[in-house]
Amino acid sequence: MKFGKNICILNVGGTKYAFTREVIKDFPLRRVSRLHSCSSEKEVLEVCDDYDRERNEFFFDRHSEAFVFIMLYVRSGKLRFVPQMCELSFYNEMIYWGLESSHLEFCCQRRLEDRMSDTYTYFSEEDVKAEVESRAEEEQVSRFGPETGNGNARWLERMRRTFEEPASSIAAQILASVSVVFVIMSMVILCASTLPDWDTAKNNTVEEHRIIEAVCIGWFTAECIVRFIVSRNKCEFVRRPLNIIDLLAITPYYVSVAMTALTGENPQLQRAGVTLRVLRMMRIFWLIKLARHFLGLQTLGLTLRRCYREMVMLMVFVCVAMAIFSALAQLLEHGLDLETSNEDYASIPAACWWVIISMTTVGYGDMYPITIPGRVLGGVCVVSGIVLLALPITFIYHSFVQCYHELKFRSARCVRSLSSEFLN
């Protein structure tokens, strides 16, 4: 620091602390140590709130009592929360002075994690970007008027929100309701087409069935095309799993129509019929589209996405236990006594089926051990399955509750904005 006196005074919320330049240089708090590298008052004011050159006093408009506990950490190396102070408020003070949650004592870290899991709301990068862009557009319109703003961009953004965010406006809710009706109608037709009497009914009313199917496919096609046109990032839109499912579910209809028109009812179409039926059956995944309109499905999807590590850990537990118990079951039921061997356990892969239904306590009864050691192993397998499956459930449960509160908060915010739009 090339200005001021040798003694530096830090004024934090009215409480003053005096330090020499050498102490400021190696101060454990990053914000304070940054003062030493400042070469002008302009740079100083980027670090603190105000500066008195005559007294060489730096003013910080922060919580004085919180800084007392932070100074105790500087002296003793132990950082704890201020009594009767919100953990998140103290954590904000820590971040301001350049500390992290890892500097807290273990007990205080647990308190902070519990507090953040109860109140912290995650926002995706796309949501934050959309909010920033919408604010920038509103500011531009308020400054220069609606005629100078980018009308096409604002119109595309409004269309995107209408198709992608069902709770963004009244028009979006109406469009979402229509989409749900078409999804349900398509699912009903798909399920009914597997009934034994469907072929007879279809022959009697073939035109009605074709019209209903064509209308449903036409709606989904138009919706997919419009959503692709108004999307911000076309490559990201194509890579989304739900959009891939939409494409795979729509394509078989047009392929079958094209092949029928070009080749007619011939063996080539019959050979391709198996593939088309498999792809057509993927329409059942359109039910996942309902997650846009129901909080429960959104919570489930968000929980699975955030708990993939716990899910992988659960699968590892099950696979390791399955490998161990299936090998032991095959040995005890088939490998030791060939005269009374149980043919259901002739191989380890066959025994894996028994292990998985035993660990999940399903027990279909299609195969079971007949020897005493095998039955003892079965009891151990059941108990081990209950314990192993219960271990990661706690983490998944807490994540589910957190995701539910987060999505509920977002939904309430969208409802408030929708109410304001309706009143306006």
Side-chain angles (χ1 to χ4, degrees):
M1 190 163 50
K2 301 178 182 179
F3 61 94
K5 303 176 183 179
N6 186 41
I7 300 298
C8 302
I9 300 176
L10 304 183
N11 190 328
V12 182
T15 305
K16 298 182 179 181
Y17 303 85
F19 303 99
T20 62
R21 290 186 180 182
E22 290 73 16
V23 175
I24 292 292
K25 179 180 179 180
D26 300 325
F27 208 79
L29 304 180
R30 288 198 299 267
R31 182 170 290 271
V32 178
S33 61
R34 283 171 56 189
L35 294 173
H36 188 273
S37 59
C38 296
S39 58
S40 63
E41 292 189 18
K42 182 179 179 180
E43 294 182 2
V44 170
L45 293 177
E46 293 178 357
V47 179
C48 62
D49 298 308
D50 199 1
Y51 172 66
D52 189 345
R53 187 179 184 87
E54 295 182 358
R55 293 180 294 181
N56 200 29
E57 186 172 354
F58 304 88
F59 295 89
F60 296 89
D61 188 13
R62 308 301 299 184
H63 198 285
S64 59
E65 189 176 358
F67 189 74
V68 171
F69 277 74
I70 292 176
M71 287 301 298
L72 290 177
Y73 163 75
V74 173
R75 296 174 182 175
S76 63
K78 295 183 179 180
L79 181 60
R80 295 186 175 90
F81 285 127
V82 179
Q84 308 300 325
M85 183 177 179
C86 177
E87 291 85 355
L88 297 181
S89 299
F90 186 79
Y91 182 56
N92 290 332
E93 295 292 326
M94 291 171 51
I95 295 176
Y96 177 82
W97 294 110
L99 298 178
E100 300 177 357
S101 59
S102 58
H103 294 96
L104 286 167
E105 293 295 302
F106 180 73
C107 58
C108 294
Q109 290 186 24
R110 295 290 301 273
R111 284 177 55 188
L112 179 61
E113 293 175 358
D114 294 340
R115 182 66 172 172
M116 294 180 67
S117 63
D118 293 337
T119 59
Y120 188 68
T121 304
Y122 290 87
F123 293 93
S124 64
E125 183 179 354
E126 183 178 356
D127 294 338
V128 175
K129 184 178 180 181
E131 185 175 357
V132 171
E133 291 179 354
S134 62
R135 288 183 178 179
E137 291 176 358
E138 291 177 359
E139 184 179 355
Q140 182 180 6
V141 172
S142 62
R143 285 185 177 181
F144 306 103
E147 297 181 355
T148 58
N150 192 346
N152 293 332
R154 285 188 283 111
W155 181 82
L156 288 176
E157 179 63 21
R158 183 175 298 178
M159 287 291 295
R160 188 198 67 80
R161 290 176 61 88
T162 301
F163 278 87
E164 296 288 349
E165 303 175 9
S168 60
S169 63
I170 299 177
Q173 287 191 348
I174 297 175
L175 187 66
S177 301
V178 175
S179 181
V180 169
V181 170
F182 277 105
V183 169
I184 295 176
M185 187 184 304
S186 179
M187 292 302 102
V188 170
I189 294 177
L190 178 63
C191 295
S193 63
T194 60
L195 295 174
D197 299 334
W198 175 257
D199 294 334
T200 303
K202 188 174 182 180
N203 292 331
N204 296 333
T205 59
V206 62
E207 292 298 330
E208 289 80 355
H209 292 128
R210 287 182 178 178
I211 292 174
I212 295 175
E213 186 178 14
V215 170
C216 293
I217 295 296
W219 170 265
F220 294 131
T221 303
E223 182 184 15
C224 189
I225 292 174
V226 173
R227 290 175 55 242
F228 175 77
I229 293 175
V230 300
S231 62
R232 295 196 187 103
N233 191 334
K234 302 297 188 294
C235 295
E236 183 182 355
F237 179 87
V238 174
R239 290 196 300 264
R240 290 179 181 175
L242 287 179
N243 298 330
I244 295 176
I245 292 175
D246 288 344
L247 183 62
L248 293 178
I250 293 172
T251 303
Y253 174 79
Y254 293 103
V255 173
S256 60
V257 170
M259 293 186 66
T260 302
L262 295 176
T263 62
E265 298 292 338
N266 56 17
Q268 294 182 2
L269 183 61
Q270 294 179 1
R271 287 194 296 268
V274 177
T275 304
L276 293 177
R277 284 196 296 269
V278 172
L279 294 177
R280 187 175 299 172
M281 192 59 62
M282 293 191 67
R283 293 183 191 175
I284 200 68
F285 291 104
W286 275 342
L287 289 174
I288 303 177
K289 293 166 67 71
L290 299 178
R292 296 178 182 173
H293 317 293
F294 297 101
L295 185 64
L297 293 177
Q298 295 176 10
T299 306
L300 178 61
L302 188 59
T303 303
L304 294 178
R305 187 173 64 181
R306 291 183 179 174
C307 293
Y308 70 93
R309 291 187 180 88
E310 287 77 10
M311 299 299 295
V312 170
M313 181 172 59
L314 179 62
M315 295 301 299
V316 170
F317 288 167
V318 173
C319 291
V320 170
M322 186 169 58
I324 295 174
F325 286 114
S326 61
L328 293 177
Q330 193 274 337
L331 178 64
L332 296 176
E333 291 293 316
H334 188 271
L336 294 181
D337 192 353
L338 297 180
E339 295 181 359
T340 60
S341 62
N342 191 344
E343 294 300 329
D344 293 336
Y345 298 83
S347 63
I348 291 180
C352 286
W353 170 248
W354 170 79
V355 172
I356 194 66
I357 63 176
S358 299
M359 291 184 64
T360 55
T361 66
V362 175
Y364 290 113
D366 55 343
M367 56 188 301
Y368 51 87
I370 59 177
T371 63
I372 294 179
R375 293 177 179 177
V376 173
L377 179 66
V380 176
C381 179
V382 171
V383 175
S384 301
I386 295 175
V387 174
L388 291 178
L389 293 176
L391 290 176
I393 295 300
T394 304
F395 302 99
I396 299 175
Y397 166 75
H398 285 296
S399 180
F400 181 85
V401 173
Q402 179 180 343
C403 294
Y404 175 76
H405 288 299
E406 172 190 342
L407 294 177
K408 192 174 181 180
F409 173 79
R410 291 186 182 181
S411 178
R413 188 178 59 174
C414 292
V415 169
R416 288 196 299 268
S417 62
L418 183 61
S419 301
S420 301
E421 178 184 351
F422 180 78
L423 292 176
N424 294 331

